[in-house]
Amino acid sequence: MKFILKTFLKYYLKTITKIVLFIHKPVVIAVAGSTNKSFVKKEVKRRLEEAGFTVRANPKNFNTEIGLPLSILYLPSGYNEYKKWIPAILKAPLKIFQKKFPDFLVLSLGSSDKGDMRYLLSIIKPDISIITNITQRYKEGFSDMNNLVDEYQVLAKKTRKEGVLVLNIDNYRVREVGEGKKQKILYYGKEKEADIYISKIEKNKKGQKVSIKQQGRKKDYQINKFGEHHAYAFAVGLAVKKVGRPGR
Amino acid sequence: MGFMFERVKDIKLSTIKEIELRASKYPDAVSLAQGIPDFDTPDFIKRRVERALKRGVVAKYSLSPGLPELRELIEESLEKENMFYDWEKEILVTAGSIQGITATIMAITNPGDEVIIPEPTYTSYQEVIKLAGCKPVFVPLNEEEGWSFDIEKYKKVITKKTKAIFYCNPNNPTGTIYSKKQLLELAELAEKHNLFLISDEVYKDFIYDEKEFFSLAELPELRKRVIRIFSFSKAFAMTGWRVAYLHSDEENIREIIKVHDSLVTCAPVISQYGAMGALEIGEEKINEFRERYKKRRDMMCERIEKLNSVFSFVKPDSSYYIFPKINPEAVDIKKKKKVVDSREFAFWLLEKSQVAVVPGVAFGPNGEGHIRLSFGRREEDILEVFNRLEKLFL
């Protein structure tokens, strides 16, 4: 019973989501990586909202085959209770006729087994794809690291040709993903070659002062949070701000 | 054998466990003693763990500070409460809060140091301090002022050996929430005397009547001074899972993790997955638990009021305990004393009516003359206990 319901939900929600995306055509930003997806997603959302766009992002664990469509359609999960799925099932088709739809979707994508990414990318086609880093985390579902990296290769390949890849230059596995890709690539990180170059991070009482160089110009920012990952998330936010709505 | 067990010679097994043990020998005993939520761990947490088991990811150690994905979730949940800590360097997942407390005390003190504890408070604090070769210094809370801090009392006990002030907020067993003003005064004192502030906040999710709660860990200027502890045990009915966390500035965590690693290597990985489930979708469940505890608190207060010739009490704003004072005139034992011997009273009560409660003295000298009743237990048990008490006293 559970398997039948799950399979039904999976394809039902996927179909409706695809129709909704076809009609409303929001800019889709995919965020993938072993860590820091959530903070990057929040920072990107904040940046875009600051620029006056309407944005919808998926909640923390809504990044899988059922969670992702639910987030896009802005529907609640019924988790393991059959009855609780009824409102989501009934409301889903109404989303097709929704008048206002966000300008941007910022969606983190979860991949814990081979093929997960390909399935998620059969629902969405990202305009911008961000890869935060690739580490051994979540490696257990893959035979080796190359197989895990392949998931991110799929993401890069499935990103729109006129789209942009935003990649962490400091992680060599992420850099690998950028090699030979047709899309525009923006690198961020602590390597000097990065387009958004984090030249200095200084911890202070309120958080950290981050120096970022872009096109030869350096600017200092105060981030009232602790941890380098916030400096990286901030750099991604700047990259997305720079890109805006690629090819639109 | 006299030379052996030197370190533990002054350590006592918790009175709470002693009472529970004694109660287990009475066939019809009903217990409101140990602070265990009667709810089972929510299903979504179990499912998260089942998934982890099926994926074969729970058999190995995690990194010593905990699973990265859990620590990221913890950082996010702290952000919602206006606390900003780096999951990579400033958050440490522990095997229950008491293990985190032990690691903290061992790391920040040297033998012979003193640690101030406002009391009555959680029984195990003093034992951990003694285990570290330090001295617990008690500062009584002010019952007349709703069990609040009296800052002047702290000033009097600070010596050159004082290393930390260690408090539970909301407090167990009194259910008191310390006000922002009181906490800031404490922080000022800690700054002046270069002390650590250890804040155990395991009951912060069970606050009733929309009372305000403030944590000193919210203030970035105090992050090197404050070590905050939180546990999944109470909030998500996970006492048996033994999973909690602490956070502070990286300078402190760097030292505490050395003790943590030597004590347990890492928190149980299976429980860390449970904790992830709790943080991913647990908020709704906490609200449900809170509502049910509030109902039980009100019910318990109503029943104690009927026994006002025997007990007087301060209505708790939080946690799931009530800490009534026993009127020495009303009970049969030791009428001549001004304060009832709470230990004697608790064992007498168990003997007379098979009701298990915790003697107040277990929570510090200022707890003498009181008992602790837990409304974390089943409603039926609470009702039965008060039926028996009314039969005994009215």
Side-chain angles (χ1 to χ4, degrees), chain A residues 36 79-80 137 229-230, chain B residues 47 55 69 72 75 281:
Chain A
N36 210 18
Y79 296 107
N80 243 26
R137 185 167 158 186
H229 55 288
H230 290 296
Chain B
R47 281 200 307 276
R55 291 184 62 78
E69 47 271 57
E72 265 191 304
E75 183 184 326
I281 39 178

Side-chain angles (χ1 to χ4, degrees), chain A residues 38-239:
Chain A
S38 196
F39 298 107
V40 163
K41 194 173 61 184
K42 278 186 197 164
E43 180 60 19
V44 168
K45 185 171 185 276
R46 186 188 72 81
R47 277 273 169 209
L48 292 168
E49 284 175 342
E50 200 179 73
F53 295 111
T54 52
V55 187
R56 180 176 294 165
N58 50 347
K60 46 198 161 196
N61 59 337
F62 280 52
N63 57 12
T64 53
E65 53 193 15
I66 290 177
L68 186 75
L70 283 176
S71 306
I72 295 170
L73 301 173
Y74 203 58
L75 290 170
S77 171
Y79 296 107
N80 243 26
E81 290 179 46
Y82 298 128
K83 272 186 191 171
K84 282 194 177 175
W85 278 107
I86 295 168
I89 292 168
L90 295 176
K91 282 179 188 168
L94 304 176
K95 299 287 176 180
I96 298 169
F97 309 103
Q98 189 181 344
K99 280 185 184 168
K100 283 185 182 173
F101 198 81
D103 303 321
F104 280 82
L105 291 175
V106 184
L107 305 167
S108 64
L109 306 182
S111 174
S112 47
D113 287 300
K114 195 169 172 55
D116 283 355
M117 193 65 86
R118 196 170 285 280
Y119 181 80
L120 296 176
L121 293 166
S122 71
I123 305 172
I124 59 165
K125 191 156 183 68
D127 297 273
I128 301 171
S129 289
I130 301 159
I131 303 176
T132 57
N133 57 23
I134 302 172
T135 67
Q136 301 228 344
R137 185 167 158 186
Y138 303 122
K139 188 178 152 255
E140 63 275 356
F142 301 89
S143 53
D144 57 29
M145 272 306 277
N146 291 333
N147 261 293
L148 173 64
V149 176
D150 282 350
E151 288 288 294
Y152 297 96
Q153 292 284 7
V154 172
L155 172 63
K157 281 174 196 161
K158 294 270 180 181
T159 302
R160 284 184 201 282
K161 293 230 162 31
E162 62 280 14
V164 179
L165 302 175
V166 180
L167 306 179
N168 179 353
I169 199 167
D170 299 334
N171 183 302
Y172 74 91
R173 285 293 198 173
V174 177
R175 277 203 311 269
E176 242 176 68
V177 175
E179 285 166 15
K181 299 296 179 299
K182 288 175 184 163
Q183 298 93 337
K184 183 183 173 183
I185 300 177
L186 279 179
Y187 286 106
Y188 68 95
K190 291 202 273 189
E191 294 278 341
K192 279 187 179 168
E193 297 74 31
D195 302 281
I196 294 108
Y197 165 44
I198 304 169
S199 61
K200 204 173 174 187
I201 301 174
E202 260 180 350
K203 192 178 169 185
N204 54 36
K205 277 191 171 179
K206 287 191 168 174
Q208 51 200 331
K209 194 175 96 178
V210 181
S211 306
I212 291 180
K213 261 188 185 175
Q214 277 189 89
Q215 293 166 324
R217 271 184 297 179
K218 192 185 115 182
K219 203 173 168 187
D220 293 338
Y221 302 91
Q222 173 64 32
I223 301 172
N224 292 340
K225 289 180 183 181
F226 294 86
E228 280 197 353
H229 55 288
H230 290 296
Y232 280 80
F234 192 85
V236 173
L238 291 176

Side-chain angles (χ1 to χ4, degrees), chain B residues 173-374:
Chain B
T174 60
T176 319
I177 303 168
Y178 301 123
S179 72
K180 186 174 181 178
K181 184 175 169 284
Q182 286 179 335
L183 290 166
L184 290 175
E185 281 173 352
L186 207 61
E188 203 179 309
L189 207 61
E191 286 282 350
K192 190 177 167 191
H193 296 277
N194 192 26
L195 307 176
F196 283 106
L197 292 160
I198 308 169
S199 184
D200 178 357
E201 300 180 9
V202 304
Y203 295 100
K204 59 102 185 156
D205 290 301
F206 303 128
I207 290 174
Y208 314 112
D209 309 321
E210 289 170 14
K211 298 270 180 193
E212 275 186 28
F213 180 77
F214 171 75
S215 172
L216 287 173
E218 291 177 43
L219 303 177
E221 59 271 30
L222 287 177
R223 64 198 329 273
K224 289 191 179 175
R225 216 164 273 297
V226 177
I227 299 159
R228 178 178 176 271
I229 291 145
F230 179 75
S231 167
F232 292 87
S233 294
K234 317 289 179 181
F236 299 99
M238 293 174 74
T239 51
W241 297 74
R242 310 313 301 132
V243 61
Y245 64 83
L246 59 88
H247 57 93
S248 184
D249 188 84
E250 60 176 294
E251 275 182 21
N252 300 331
I253 297 298
R254 207 163 36 219
E255 303 306 319
I256 296 169
I257 199 170
K258 292 177 192 170
V259 187
H260 165 77
D261 185 49
S262 59
L263 288 175
V264 291
T265 308
C266 65
V269 174
I270 193 162
S271 304
Q272 292 192 53
Y273 277 97
M276 282 171 62
L279 291 176
E280 280 162 357
I281 39 178
E283 221 165 287
E284 203 179 310
K285 206 70 193 175
I286 287 183
N287 294 338
E288 186 192 316
F289 287 164
R290 190 189 302 113
E291 276 312 303
R292 291 181 65 181
Y293 286 142
K294 185 181 180 294
K295 197 177 145 206
R296 291 178 192 181
R297 178 200 63 165
D298 294 342
M299 183 177 84
M300 198 183 258
C301 288
E302 211 172 286
R303 295 295 294 266
I304 302 181
E305 272 165 15
K306 280 191 191 172
L307 292 161
N308 58 11
S309 60
V310 186
F311 301 114
S312 57
F313 70 102
V314 177
K315 190 175 182 180
D317 292 323
S318 59
S319 79
Y320 43 68
Y321 305 112
I322 297 186
F323 199 59
K325 189 176 187 173
I326 315 153
N327 177 6
E329 300 298 320
V331 293
D332 275 330
I333 52 165
K334 302 279 162 111
K335 259 188 181 174
K336 285 173 195 165
K337 282 191 180 176
K338 279 187 179 174
V339 177
V340 174
D341 182 323
S342 59
R343 196 180 154 81
E344 206 174 330
F345 179 80
F347 283 104
W348 173 80
L349 198 62
L350 186 59
E351 177 77 38
K352 282 272 179 195
S353 57
Q354 303 196 24
V355 165
V357 299
V358 186
V361 73
F363 302 94
N366 198 33
E368 187 53 300
H370 300 72
I371 52 168
R372 189 190 76 174
L373 306 169
S374 166

